[in-house]
């Protein structure tokens, strides 16, 4: 039974208490339960749970930032007559191990305009990426690894 | 509005009939999908169109507030869509089978059930 | 106030939708078009849904809007990945800028998948 | 519905429908199989946006449910077609390029 | 009361469910036989109730008509259900011998019972859209049964069958949509009065659309192509039940709607029907004359004989409707039986192609007698059921001064004789081309019983109707009266509703 | 389909679709949804599973033959209709039980109608999977 | 059959004996009725059969029907006795006896029935049973052909006959024959008299083989000889005669009746006698003399005089007796020598004396020599002919010619084989067993007996029969061997002279006739031509209509739909159409355009993927329509289904070849446009008037209060119209099971 499951149970209990069977009820229950768990943290030793939640929040925020910035970049290319794109297929080595991690990394890379995850190699070690602006592939590789992948590892695989 | 969609349905029907006549099973399937859609839409349009008011009764009310869309044709169309899907599913499998066992997708060349008479 | 915000979000979303559509239409090759459509489309939908959430301003609706966004964020990249993969593996001709020469990865793929001459016009 | 929100909704509808039209043009032009599929995929996402607009325009949250379902399952078509593209090309490379 | 009506629909569905769950074992076929038997009992009870109390109606879900779905049984519906049950029993017994384990494992019995459910539902519903649904149940089940076995000619026949029936189905659906759009109701009894206030000219257009949609189902000229293209391809049990029941549902639907709803411009609609009837009779019988395969001959004859039933509807006199109802009942029994017999011929003589078989009269005299009964009945020889059927319709035509159509009906009868004797001469009298003497003893005793008992039972029924026609004629007269004056039907459905 | 990304995504999506489909079914009586929509959505989850991981895995995950699910669904839907017989009502008459009902509030409704909708769900779910699995395997 | 009598002469055991006893019992039963009938009484029994149609199981015994019944059952007994030996040990004897007995019973039913429909039932039964009997040697192609021919010709007539009966019943208001006869002249004055007459005669003429419908009868000789004896003496062919006789009181006396029967009868009589002379096969020769007799009987029935009626009754009996006898004799000869060809038969008299005597007695009666009944019959014929009002000379001339020819034929059949020449080598004829000569002897002797004691016949049968025929208007004339020296006697003498002359010259005449008839069109060959023509026409028509091409089938179906709707629209005058575009928003228009564009793309593309995508666009367009017009449930379902369709198509397409380039077909395009216009127009007309919303109002009002649901669409689906939904999910299950079966079915053993 991990902390997340405990949190869910609390949320359901909350719904039971309030008698309001709705998604809103469930979510408020979840939030309240989260608070409660945080309070009793020393008692049950769930610190990594809270660390990860912080990492998740960071991931979500950074992702949206990236999404908007690079969207504007692509939008600019679309709206201007000349093609500014310098497309290329590049391989990025992967450190993330779990399925969930790989999914998140690739999805987030795909979702930020300018980069598109094409495939993960059979050995899960490399990711093939199509980049729209690949003037400098190495810099791109580095930014992907230090940015998106790092955040994901923190959120998903951090201990 | 109904007028507009009646014309739309006409175009759908015309296209699907042309496709179904094409002597190619895949095109026939395309035509089938189109004409099913046309039939569903016919029921929907014949039940008259109302925009922006789904047939739902709000919480706390016993009956809908104000005019809402005609619910009955919606239920009929829903039924028809699902039935149409069942028919389509069988049809597409049949087309597949036709290809694997008769090696043809042109029904006019399929002469096993009704072999061409050897002229006497 | 919320009406203004919502209206703004909706207009912005609409603008992005058009940009996405334009990108799909005028970008030079299919992968680049995907950059335009997948992400900008997602963004546009997100903005409109945000506007929607603002208008209704009820938790119920907000949750639904968020759920839609989450679903799209989860599924759209997977779809894009599948498409991109098939583009590469089936050897659809790709556009290449003369500034960026073909790298080893691309050459390897070309041989592997029998890709015809990569087009190189801008 | 009128006022600024009403206006922006009209603009929103116009833009979304416009983007669908643009996507349709791409769908017609192709040239590759993937181009058409991407266009279709784009339309699906646009419909989700359309649902959001409709929900606001008619003050009916029920339309969001349509978007909800579509957001979840819409990509299945893309996946299936992508798989088709990949597999059929293994059989006949030339053919699918011309689709 | 409503359960009397619901059970005939429910029973085959339950049977289908159980038959499917037991499909891997021999139990499945007994479930099917048992289910059909229970259906027969239920339909007898229903018939009894209808005879005692007149038209009975039941509101499903207890929602009053015309809001909910009404099941209605007048005499016609009740007898169609009863005949369906009889055919179901016969065919499910026959299937023990005819349907192999491979087909059983693929759900033959479930599909068969679903087909029966669809047929019964179509006969018993009082709601137009619900009729569409039962048509679909029947249609899709028939699709499955038609291609079960997967021989290439089945697939070929299936393609044509499916394609043309889908067109008809979609036209039917369109028609329902349009009729609803005019009248705002779907209940057939309610429609009977609702159409009075609608635009009569437009109603005629809709009527024609329905005529065409049902015409495809009924396999009338020029919409019958799917039938001769496919009916000779599936398992014999399947083609028997198709031959007996499926087209009759179309005829039933025509009878029902063109007496209850579309009776506003009979000078136009029923004149078309008269032409259709004549052409159907002639084209069908000529088609049969051109065939050399037993099942193909029989298939074309279905078309031809549908013409007779349409003739009854077209004339629209009490005697004509009486004749149509009588013909309907007679034909189901006889035609199903002939296909069953063709199956036995195939089993013991090796084919249904007339040139490739023979000698059945010499070495299988019992089969010969069993063939003669339905064959001569079909040809309209007395004292078999077919004679009365033909007699009634010809009399109706002559009474109505339809000299030409009566002449056509009689001439077609003669050509039917020709076809039946062709089968007789080539499959029974002529020696087998390979010199073998096919006998029933080549069948295992189980198969022999399973195949011959239903055949003999149906033949006995044919003879019984022929020799004792009076109760059947009386019955047909009463149901014709109900059809021509639907006030009892409407009252039973709508009660005190306007 | 040997895509790691798709398989990883499917792990979440399939479950999500299933849960979502049940949600759609249960709320159907009062808001858009219902057995059809639920069944179709649920089936989509397993279709995705089959595409991503192959039908063998999908069948293993499902444990029961899809056609059995479908036929049980039909049986359940029929049973929901037949249930009315116990109360002397006509076929498919809705039977309702309101747990904890008061003057104003109908409480938690349990009904034969819901059972019917569940039957619809199972039928649609099972049927689509029967079809898709078989097609995947034949091709 | 050649090579002598069966060694097993004890017959066929019980299967042989029982029918004989049965027939004999029937005969005895009818004999027991003779006193009643002789007292000019009638016996009528009737029980209701189909009361709802007024049809009764009614039987009438009067002079006419008793005469027939006695002949049928009497000859039937003898024929069965004969057959039991003739076909001894035949593996299918039981069937033969069954059919023959059934035939006899049908024939009895026919002549006894006092209800038109009952009569027709037996009429058709004789057709069926005779079909089985004629085709008894079913392994011979000729047998099968001739059986079909007989069935077809008499069947055709039978159907006309049925129409006639139905009209007759309708006109008379009853199906009771005695009832109709009791109505007197009403029928003759009815407007429908002529059609009824024509239809009835079509039936009787074909059944009794009047020229030109005669060709089937000689071919029916394919049947075993006893069958021929039975069919052509007292039964089958006389069924037609019987019906004309039966209807005589109600229908005779008009010009049409008179001339039709007279001409057909006379032509048939002469024509048949000539043909009879031409034959070299004994059985064929007899068959044509049967025709001649039928013609003569018809000719008599055309008249009304007492002479004619008496002549009819007498000749009926005469002919039955001698003809049955002669056929049976021929059977004996055939079995004994293995041939029936006159050229190959000679000198049998000493080896088969009893048969020879029987033959001689029968032939003398046939030839009309005194003191046989045949003589009396012939005398009456001439008397009857001379009593014909309008053209006595013509009729008498015809009678003279045919009688002479008959005499000659009698010589050829019954004299030559026995009393001339010696038995050809290779034949070892011997006398037939008693079961086979008993019949001929008894029948032939009866001819002599009645000739010598005509009163015996006169009082018992002839008088009552004439009463039946005339309805007591005319009295029977007296039967006597010596009626004085009158014109009939002179004619008789002339007959003998002419007949003997013909007999003496018959070989030359035969050659001449052969040449003449070869030049005439042969209806028997015509039959084959007719059948071939019919089959070819059927094939041609079917090849055109059912050409095996789905595209034609679809074209015809769509054409029917489009033409049906459009022509009806034109016929009814265009219904009210309201073109209202005022409430169309640009959104609606663009959604409609999107949908249309998708459809058009699907239409024109040669790329499968573009096609699927186009369908997707249409699906999206339609989903948008559902969204805009407030149908979220439907929109969701539409989108889900659309997605699944794309998935399924994309899976299946993995194995399918790509689309061929479509060629533009103007005809298809025109039909498609017509279909579209038809549907659009109708729909527009439908939505031009307001819609009654009773049902929807009810659903809206009760959805929450009574069905506890807020989503009205769902409540309709699972509650108001749950049965629809149940059927619908059944469709889904069945579709899945069917498709599954179809996918798996070709694997070995039918299962994965
Ligand atoms: Na640019
Ligand atoms: Na044969």
């Amino acid at each position: 039974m991990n902390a997340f499951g405990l949190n869910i149970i609390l949320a359901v209990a909350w719904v039971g208490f309030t008698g309001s069977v709705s998604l809103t009820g469930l979510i408020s229950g979840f939030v309240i339960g989260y608070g409660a768990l945080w309070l009793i943290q020393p008692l049950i030793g769930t610190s990594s749970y809270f660390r990860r939640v912080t990492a998740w929040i960071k991931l979500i925020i950074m992702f949206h930032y990236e999404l908007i910035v690079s969207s504007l970049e692509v939008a600019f290319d679309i709206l201007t007559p000349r093609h500014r794109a310098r497309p290329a297929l590049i391989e990025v080595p992967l450190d993330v191990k779990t399925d969930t991690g790989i999914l998140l990394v690739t999805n987030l890379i795909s979702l930020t305009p300018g980069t598109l995850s094409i495939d993960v190699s059979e050995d899960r070690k490399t990711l093939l990426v199509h980049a729209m602006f690949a003037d400098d592939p190495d810099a791109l590789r580095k930014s992907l690894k230090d940015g998106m992948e790092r955040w994901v590892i923190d959120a998903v695989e951090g201990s | 509005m109904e007028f507009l969609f009646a014309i739309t349905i006409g175009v759908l029907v015309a296209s699907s009939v042309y496709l179904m006549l094409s002597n190619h099973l895949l095109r026939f399937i395309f035509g089938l999908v189109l004409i099913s859609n046309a039939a569903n839409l016919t029921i929907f349009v014949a039940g008259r169109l109302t925009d922006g008011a789904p047939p739902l009764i709000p919480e706390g009310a016993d009956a809908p507030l104000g005019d809402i869309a005609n619910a009955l044709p919606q239920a009929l169309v829903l039924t028809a869509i699902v039935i149409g899907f069942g028919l389509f599913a069988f049809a597409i499998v049949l087309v597949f089978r036709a290809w694997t066992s008769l090696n043809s997708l042109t029904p006019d060349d399929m002469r096993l059930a009704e072999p061409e008479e050897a002229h006497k | 106030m919320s009406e203004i915000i919502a209206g703004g979000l909706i207009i912005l979303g609409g603008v992005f939708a058009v940009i996405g559509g334009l990108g799909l239409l005028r970008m030079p090759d299919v992968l680049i078009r995907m950059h335009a459509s997948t992400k900008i489309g997602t963004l546009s939908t997100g903005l409109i849904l945000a506007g929607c959430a603002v208008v209704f301003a009820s938790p119920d609706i907000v949750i639904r809007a968020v759920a839609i966004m989450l679903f799209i964020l989860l599924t759209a990249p997977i779809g894009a990945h599948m498409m991109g993969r098939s583009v590469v593996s089936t050897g659809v001709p790709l556009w290449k800028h003369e500034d960026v020469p073909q790298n080893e990865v691309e050459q390897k793929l070309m041989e592997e998948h029998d890709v015809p001459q990569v087009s190189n016009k801008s | 519905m009128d006022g600024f929100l009403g206006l922006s909704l009209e603009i929103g509808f116009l833009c979304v429908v416009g983007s669908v039209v643009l996507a349709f043009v791409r769908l017609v032009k192709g040239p590759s199989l993937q181009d058409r599929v991407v266009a279709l995929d784009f339309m699906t996402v646009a419909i989700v946006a359309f649902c959001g607009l409709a929900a606001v325009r008619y003050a009916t949250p029920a339309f969001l449910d349509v978007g909800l379902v579509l957001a979840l399952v819409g990509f299945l078509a893309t996946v299936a077609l992508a798989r088709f593209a990949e597999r059929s090309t293994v059989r006949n490379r030339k053919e699918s390029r011309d689709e | 009361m409503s359960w009397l009506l619901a059970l005939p629909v429910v029973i085959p569905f339950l049977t289908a469910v159980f038959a499917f769950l037991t499909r891997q074992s021999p139990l499945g076929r007994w479930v099917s036989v048992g289910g059909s038997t229970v259906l027969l009992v239920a339909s007898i009870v229903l018939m009894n109730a209808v005879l005692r109390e007149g038209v009975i109606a039941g509101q499903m879900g207890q929602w009053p008509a015309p809001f909910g779905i009404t099941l209605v049984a007048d005499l016609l519906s009740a007898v169609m259900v009863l005949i369906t049950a009889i055919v179901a029993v016969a065919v499910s017994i026959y299937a023990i011998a005819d349907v192999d384990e491979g087909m059983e494992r693929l759900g033959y019995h479930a599909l068969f019972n679903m087909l029966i459910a669809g047929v019964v539902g179509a006969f018993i519903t009082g709601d137009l859209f619900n009729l569409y649904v039962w048509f679909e149940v029947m249609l899709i089940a028939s699709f499955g049964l038609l291609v079960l076995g997967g021989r290439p000619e089945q697939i070929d026949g299936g393609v044509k069958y499916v394609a043309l029936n889908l067109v008809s189905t979609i036209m039917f659906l369109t028609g329902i949509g349009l009729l609803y759009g005019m009248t705002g109701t779907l209940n057939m009894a309610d429609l009977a009065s609702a159409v009075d206030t609608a635009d009569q000219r437009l109603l005629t257009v809709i009527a024609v659309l329905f005529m065409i949609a049902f015409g495809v189902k009924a396999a009338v000229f020029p919409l019958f192509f799917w039938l001769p293209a496919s009916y000779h391809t599936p398992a014999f049990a399947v083609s028997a039940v198709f031959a007996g029941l499926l087209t009759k549902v179309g005829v039933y639907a025509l009878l029902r709607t063109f007496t209850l709803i579309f009776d506003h411009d009979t000078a136009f609609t029923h004149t078309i029907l008269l032409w259709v009837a004549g052409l159907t009779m002639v084209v069908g019988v000529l088609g049969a004359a051109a065939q050399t395969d037993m099942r193909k001959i029989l298939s074309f004859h279905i078309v031809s004989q549908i013409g007779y039933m349409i003739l009854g509807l077209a004339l629209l006199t009490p005697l004509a409707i009486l004749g149509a109802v009588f013909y309907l009942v007679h034909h189901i029994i006889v035609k199903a039986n002939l296909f069953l017999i063709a199956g036995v011929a195939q089993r013991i003589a090796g084919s249904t192609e007339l040139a490739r078989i023979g000698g059945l009269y010499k070495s299988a005299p019992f089969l010969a007698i069993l063939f003669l009964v339905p064959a001569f009945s079909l040809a309209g020889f007395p004292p078999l059921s077919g004679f009365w059927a033909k007699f009634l319709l010809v009399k109706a035509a002559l009474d109505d001064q339809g000299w030409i159509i009566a002449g056509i009906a009689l001439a077609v009868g003669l050509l039917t004789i020709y076809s039946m004797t062709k089968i007789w001469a080539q499959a029974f009298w002529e020696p087998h081309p390979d010199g073998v003497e096919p006998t029933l003893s080549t069948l295992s005793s189980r198969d022999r019983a399973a195949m011959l008992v239903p055949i003999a039972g149906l033949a006995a029924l044919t003879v019984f109707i022929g020799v004792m026609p009076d109760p059947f004629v009386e019955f047909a007269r009463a149901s014709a009266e109900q059809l021509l004056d639907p006030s009892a039907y409407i009252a039973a459905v709508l009660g005190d509703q306007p | 389909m040997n895509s790691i990304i798709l398989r990883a995504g499917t792990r979440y999506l399939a479950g999500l679709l299933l849960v979502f489909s049940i949600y759609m079914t249960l709320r159907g009586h009062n808001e858009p949804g219902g057995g059809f929509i639920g069944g179709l959505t649920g089936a989509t989850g397993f279709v995705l599973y089959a595409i991503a991981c192959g039908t063998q895995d999908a069948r293993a995950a499902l444990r029961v033959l899809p056609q059995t699910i479908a036929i049980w669904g039909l049986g359940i839907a029929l049973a929901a209709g037949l249930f009315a017989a116990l109360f002397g009502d006509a076929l498919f008459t809705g039977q309702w039980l309101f747990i904890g009902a008061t003057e104003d509030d109908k409480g938690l409704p349990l009904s034969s109608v819901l059972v019917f909708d569940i039957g619809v769900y199972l039928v649609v779910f099972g049927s689509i999977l029967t079809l898709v699995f078989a097609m995947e395997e034949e091709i | 059959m050649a090579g002598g009598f069966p060694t097993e002469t004890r017959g066929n055991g019980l299967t042989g004996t029982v029918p004989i006893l049965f027939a004999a019992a029937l005969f005895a039963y009818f004999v027991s009725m003779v006193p009643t009938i002789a007292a000019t009484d009638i016996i009528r029994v009737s029980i209701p059969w189909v009361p709802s149609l007024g049809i009764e199981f009614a039987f009438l015994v009067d002079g006419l029907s008793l005469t027939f019944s006695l002949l049928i059952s009497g000859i039937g007994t003898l024929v069965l006795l004969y057959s039991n030996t003739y076909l001894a040990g035949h593996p299918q004897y039981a069937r033969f006896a069954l059919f023959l007995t059934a035939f006899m019973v049908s024939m009895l039913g026919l002549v006894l029935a006092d209800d038109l429909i009952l009569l027709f039932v037996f009429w058709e039964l004789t057709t069926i049973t005779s079909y089985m009997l004629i085709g008894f040697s079913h392994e011979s192609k000729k047998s099968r052909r001739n059986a079909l021919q007989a069935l077809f010709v008499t069947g055709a007539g039978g159907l006309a006959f049925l129409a006639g009966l139905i009209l007759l019943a309708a006109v008379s208001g009853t199906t009771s024959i005695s009832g109709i006869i009791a109505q007197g002249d009403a029928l003759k004055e009815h407007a429908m008299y002529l059609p009824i007459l024509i239809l009835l005669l079509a039936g009787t003429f074909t059944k009794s083989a009047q020229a030109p419908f005669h060709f089937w009868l000689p071919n029916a000789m394919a049947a075993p000889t006893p069958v021929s004896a039975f069919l052509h003496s007292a039964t089958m062919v006389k069924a037609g005669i019987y019906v004309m006789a039966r209807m005589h009181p109600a229908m005779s006396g008009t010009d049409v009746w008179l001339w039709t029967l007279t001409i057909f009868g006379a032509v048939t009589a002469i024509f048949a006698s000539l043909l009879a002379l031409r034959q070299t096969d004994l059985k064929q020769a007899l068959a044509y003399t049967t025709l001649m007799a039928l013609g003569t009987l018809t000719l008599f029935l055309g008249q009304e005089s007492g002479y004619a009626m008496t002549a009819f009754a007498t000749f009926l009996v005469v002919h039955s007796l001698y003809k049955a006898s002669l056929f049976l004799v021929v059977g004996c000869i055939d079995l004994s020598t293995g041939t029936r060809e006159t050229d190959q038969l000679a000198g049998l008299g000493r080896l088969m004396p009893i048969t020879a005597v029987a033959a001689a007695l029968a032939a003398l009666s046939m030839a009309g020599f005194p003191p046989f009944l045949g003589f009396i019959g012939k005398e009456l014929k001439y008397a009857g002919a001379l009593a014909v009002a309008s053209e006595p000379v013509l009729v008498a001339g015809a009678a003279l010619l045919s009688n002479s020819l008959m005499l000659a034929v009698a010589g050829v059949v019954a004299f030559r084989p026995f009393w001339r020449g010696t038995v050809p080598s290779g034949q070892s004829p011997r006398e037939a067993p008693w079961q086979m000569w008993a019949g001929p002897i008894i029948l032939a002797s009866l001819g002599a007996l009645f000739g010598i004691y005509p009163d015996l016949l006169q009082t018992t049968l002839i008088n009552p029969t004439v009463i039946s025929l005339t309805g007591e208007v005319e009295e029977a004339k007296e039967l006597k061997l010596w009626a004085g020296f009158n014109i009939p006697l002179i004619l008789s003498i002339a007959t003998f002279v002419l007949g003997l002359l013909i007999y003496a010259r018959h070989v030359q005449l035969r050659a001449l006739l052969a040449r003449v008839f070869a030049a005439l069109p042969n209806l028997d060959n015509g039959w084959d031509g007719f059948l071939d023509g019919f089959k070819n026409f059927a094939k041609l028509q079917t090849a055109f209509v059912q050409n095996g091409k789905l595209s034609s089938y679809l074209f015809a179906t769509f054409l029917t739909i489009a033409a049906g709707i459009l022509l009806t629209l034109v016929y009814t005058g265009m219904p009210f159409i309201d073109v209202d575009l005022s409430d169309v928003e640009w959104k609606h228009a663009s959604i409609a355009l999107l949908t249309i564009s998708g459809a058009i793309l699907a239409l024109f593309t040669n790329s499968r993927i573009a096609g699927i995508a186009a369908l997707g666009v249409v699906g999206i367009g339609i989903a948008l329509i559902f969204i805009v017009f407030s149908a979220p449930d439907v929109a969701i379902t539409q989108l889900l289904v659309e997605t699944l369709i794309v998935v399924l198509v994309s899976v299946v397409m993995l194995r399918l070849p790509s689309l061929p380039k479509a060629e533009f077909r103007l005809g298809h395009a025109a039909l498609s446009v017509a279909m579209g216009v038809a549907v659009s127009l109708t729909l527009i007309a439908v939505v031009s008037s307001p819609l009654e919303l009773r049902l929807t109002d009810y659903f809206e009002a009760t959805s929450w209060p009574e069905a506890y649901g807020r989503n009205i669409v769902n409540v309709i689906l699972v509650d108001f119209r749950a049965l629809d939904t149940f059927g619908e999910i059944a469709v889904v299950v069945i579709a899945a099971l069917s498709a599954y079966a179809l996918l798996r079915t070709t694997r070995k053993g039918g299962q994965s």
Side-chain angles (χ1 to χ4, degrees), chain E residues 270-403:
Chain E
H270 289 64
T271 305
I272 297 181
L273 283 172
L274 195 65
W275 277 94
V276 167
L279 288 167
T280 306
M281 283 191 260
V282 171
V283 174
V285 86
L286 288 177
Q291 306 306 313
T292 57
D293 178 282
M294 234 165 139
R295 278 206 283 183
K296 287 186 185 174
I297 294 174
L298 294 174
S299 298
F300 266 106
H301 271 298
I302 299 176
V303 173
S304 174
Q305 281 133 11
I306 292 297
Y308 282 91
M309 301 171 218
I310 304 300
L311 166 62
L313 174 61
L315 292 171
L316 207 66
T317 62
L319 185 66
I321 301 287
L322 186 170
V325 172
F326 193 98
Y327 208 112
L328 200 55
V329 171
H330 137 77
H331 191 251
I332 293 175
I333 297 167
V334 163
K335 202 27 101 36
N337 204 7
L338 283 169
F339 274 86
L340 295 182
I341 291 165
V344 181
Q346 152 89 40
R347 274 285 280 277
I348 67 174
S351 176
T352 53
E353 184 60 49
L354 291 175
R356 287 168 43 196
I357 58 171
L360 288 167
Y361 176 71
K362 189 172 173 191
S363 49
F366 186 53
L367 185 69
I369 292 173
L370 289 180
F371 170 78
L372 277 184
V373 170
F376 278 169
S377 180
L378 195 75
F381 277 118
L384 298 162
S385 55
F387 165 67
W388 298 107
K390 186 174 72 180
F391 170 75
L392 290 164
L393 284 171
V394 170
K395 181 163 163 51
L398 289 174
D399 286 357
D400 205 43
Q401 314 206 330
W403 313 125

Side-chain angles (χ1 to χ4, degrees), chain E residues 353-359 422-423 425-428 430-433:
Chain E
E353 184 60 49
L354 291 175
R356 287 168 43 196
I357 58 171
K422 184 161 80 177
I423 298 177
Q426 293 194 37
F428 287 85
E430 193 179 47
H432 197 289

Side-chain angles (χ1 to χ4, degrees), chain E residues 207-311:
Chain E
V208 169
L209 186 56
F210 272 91
M211 193 191 291
I212 293 167
F214 293 148
V216 176
K217 302 278 175 198
V220 301
F221 180 85
L223 304 162
F224 60 76
F225 314 105
W226 56 272
L227 193 153
S230 63
Y231 267 25
H232 57 285
T233 59
F236 286 86
V238 171
S239 61
V241 77
F242 281 17
L245 296 175
L246 292 197
T247 49
K248 308 311 177 306
V249 183
V251 176
Y252 167 85
L254 281 170
L255 263 177
R256 179 66 75 205
T257 51
F258 279 81
T259 53
L260 186 61
I261 304 170
F262 303 118
D263 58 346
H264 60 288
D265 187 5
T266 53
F268 181 69
T269 51
H270 289 64
T271 305
I272 297 181
L273 283 172
L274 195 65
W275 277 94
V276 167
L279 288 167
T280 306
M281 283 191 260
V282 171
V283 174
V285 86
L286 288 177
Q291 306 306 313
T292 57
D293 178 282
M294 234 165 139
R295 278 206 283 183
K296 287 186 185 174
I297 294 174
L298 294 174
S299 298
F300 266 106
H301 271 298
I302 299 176
V303 173
S304 174
Q305 281 133 11
I306 292 297
Y308 282 91
M309 301 171 218
I310 304 300
L311 166 62

Side-chain angles (χ1 to χ4, degrees), chain E residues 163-216:
Chain E
L164 293 162
N165 274 289
L166 286 177
V167 171
S168 127
T169 264
I170 286 162
M171 285 305 127
F172 183 18
L173 185 62
T174 308
I176 291 174
L178 295 171
L179 193 57
Y180 171 76
M182 281 180 80
T183 60
T185 186
L186 294 166
N187 182 299
M188 291 199 277
D190 196 33
L191 274 167
S193 57
V195 292
D196 293 345
T197 52
D199 180 342
Q200 299 295 297
R201 292 173 301 173
L202 190 51
L203 190 62
T204 309
V205 179
I206 311 273
V208 169
L209 186 56
F210 272 91
M211 193 191 291
I212 293 167
F214 293 148
V216 176

